[in-house]
Amino acid sequence: MSDSVGELSEQFENAEQQRESATFGIWVFIATELMFFGPLFLGYLYGRVHFGHAFALASGRTHIWLGTLNTAVLLTSSLSMALAARAAQAGERKALARLLLTTAALGVLFLGVKGWEYYQEWQEALVPGRRFAFAAPFAAGAQYFFYLYYLLTGVHALHLLIGIGCVILLRRRAGRGEYGSAYSTPVEIAGLYWHFVDIVWIFLYPLIYLLERYR
Amino acid sequence: MTSAMRAAPIARYLLVWAALIALLALSCASAFVPLGWFNGALNMGIALFKAALVAMFFMHLRSASMLFRLCAASALFALALLFGLSGSDYATRIIRPAAWAPPSVSVGPGPVHQSGGCAVTTPVPMSRTSFKPVKAMQSLSSSSSKVSAQATPSAPFAASP
């Protein structure tokens, strides 16, 4: 993020090229992040095929309503982030500040609910390790499921935490009036990162919470 | 980023959000209806559609230049490579076991026979003729003769240790 409003870095011919470069950069980063999450999803697919019933039983022990609430929270935060980027482009300073704060707050709410879920699961002895307790023939598969669950949601939560930090930083700069119709790139690219984090959760939600819920 | 995108009305974002929430409700509700394998397929389909909505409208991929769309497509392609190649490795470990692969835990098409030091699974009864190409390859290989005749006719090629 450049230090003064709308300043053109010398390697770029015009502002449009600078904005395109920044956007391209974040897309390449998002692609690498997809490579980061991808193998974890492959590990999940392996487990789902080889420990099918154990996975379904383990999924039944997750807290579906907390998970569904969290998904709605994250989808709403994506909305507020998209509206914030739009407000930045339109030069609506007050709306931008408000929407950035809303996005960060919803992100913090998500993390809070997730932390509460983790605490519940610790109490219910669903953390892989010495304390893990599950119906005997399916314990191995269930442990694999929960290992993946903590890894996937934990790494996702870390990404979300970094995103919240960026949004708070943007909020401070927006409060100083640094973003307007002439220069809104940081808000846009932070928005792209935030939407990616949301997309990862969109895929995580059914895989973790919705396996054979009808049982 | 075009100027047309800067004038995107708020209503469009709200509409996309409403669709996302509705799809979430559908996904959640359908999980409680016993539909067998269709549950998983439906949930994944809904997740894909939601991701597409977020990508197209929130991430502006619909009106973005080809460069960004290619970037996103390349990432998905690389992921497809991962799932395709690694997945086919895991999926065929019953049919064609690797020399040091542990036997699969629960899923298998039939009993496991020990043959020449490797675990080989007998598939559903197959005629001898279906293995003609395999036998031809075995005759070409430089491995010892105990491979072909002693192996059960319906077993896939058992690697000699």
Side-chain angles (χ1 to χ4, degrees), chain A residues 115-188:
Chain A
W116 174 250
E117 261 187 274
Y118 282 167
Y119 173 69
Q120 295 285 315
E121 274 140 9
W122 169 258
Q123 298 287 82
E124 294 163 16
L126 291 173
V127 178
R130 219 178 315 182
R131 207 184 130 96
F132 191 78
F134 207 84
F138 307 107
Q143 197 158 2
Y144 182 57
F145 174 89
F146 277 103
Y147 163 71
L148 276 172
Y149 163 75
Y150 289 111
L151 199 54
L152 275 164
T153 59
V155 164
H156 175 266
L158 181 64
H159 280 73
L160 191 64
L161 186 66
I162 292 169
I164 292 170
C166 288
V167 169
I168 290 175
L169 188 67
L170 287 179
R171 165 73 184 80
R172 285 167 47 126
R173 292 192 174 190
R176 289 199 289 265
E178 279 188 30
Y179 306 123
S181 43
Y183 180 65
S184 60
T185 314
V187 184
E188 291 164 14

Side-chain angles (χ1 to χ4, degrees), chain A residues 7-164:
Chain A
E7 184 178 86
L8 193 63
S9 296
E10 68 177 74
Q11 72 266 32
F12 298 115
E13 277 181 5
N14 49 46
E16 178 73 24
Q17 191 184 46
Q18 180 171 280
R19 196 167 49 239
E20 289 265 315
S21 298
T23 313
F24 183 47
I26 192 71
W27 270 111
V28 171
F29 177 68
I30 286 173
T32 65
E33 291 288 270
L34 193 63
M35 297 302 102
F36 186 91
F37 280 96
L40 292 174
F41 279 99
L42 180 66
Y44 177 93
L45 181 64
Y46 175 83
R48 178 73 179 125
V49 168
H50 287 90
F51 306 111
H53 198 233
F55 258 44
L57 288 176
S59 170
R61 298 285 300 274
T62 58
H63 305 88
I64 184 172
W65 302 118
L66 290 178
T68 310
L69 168 72
N70 254 357
T71 311
V73 163
L74 209 56
L75 289 173
T76 312
S77 76
S78 252
L79 169 71
S80 64
M81 192 67 198
L83 289 175
R86 188 206 146 276
Q89 284 163 354
E92 297 166 13
R93 305 248 161 108
K94 283 217 183 78
L96 171 64
R98 205 175 53 233
L99 286 162
L100 285 174
L101 196 61
T102 308
T103 307
L106 287 170
V108 171
L109 176 63
F110 179 97
L111 289 178
V113 173
K114 199 88 210 88
W116 174 250
E117 261 187 274
Y118 282 167
Y119 173 69
Q120 295 285 315
E121 274 140 9
W122 169 258
Q123 298 287 82
E124 294 163 16
L126 291 173
V127 178
R130 219 178 315 182
R131 207 184 130 96
F132 191 78
F134 207 84
F138 307 107
Q143 197 158 2
Y144 182 57
F145 174 89
F146 277 103
Y147 163 71
L148 276 172
Y149 163 75
Y150 289 111
L151 199 54
L152 275 164
T153 59
V155 164
H156 175 266
L158 181 64
H159 280 73
L160 191 64
L161 186 66
I162 292 169
I164 292 170

Side-chain angles (χ1 to χ4, degrees), chain B residues 100-123:
Chain B
W100 296 279
S104 172
V105 176
S106 56
V107 180
V112 176
H113 298 279
Q114 290 300 318
S115 170
C118 277
V120 173
T121 311
T122 310

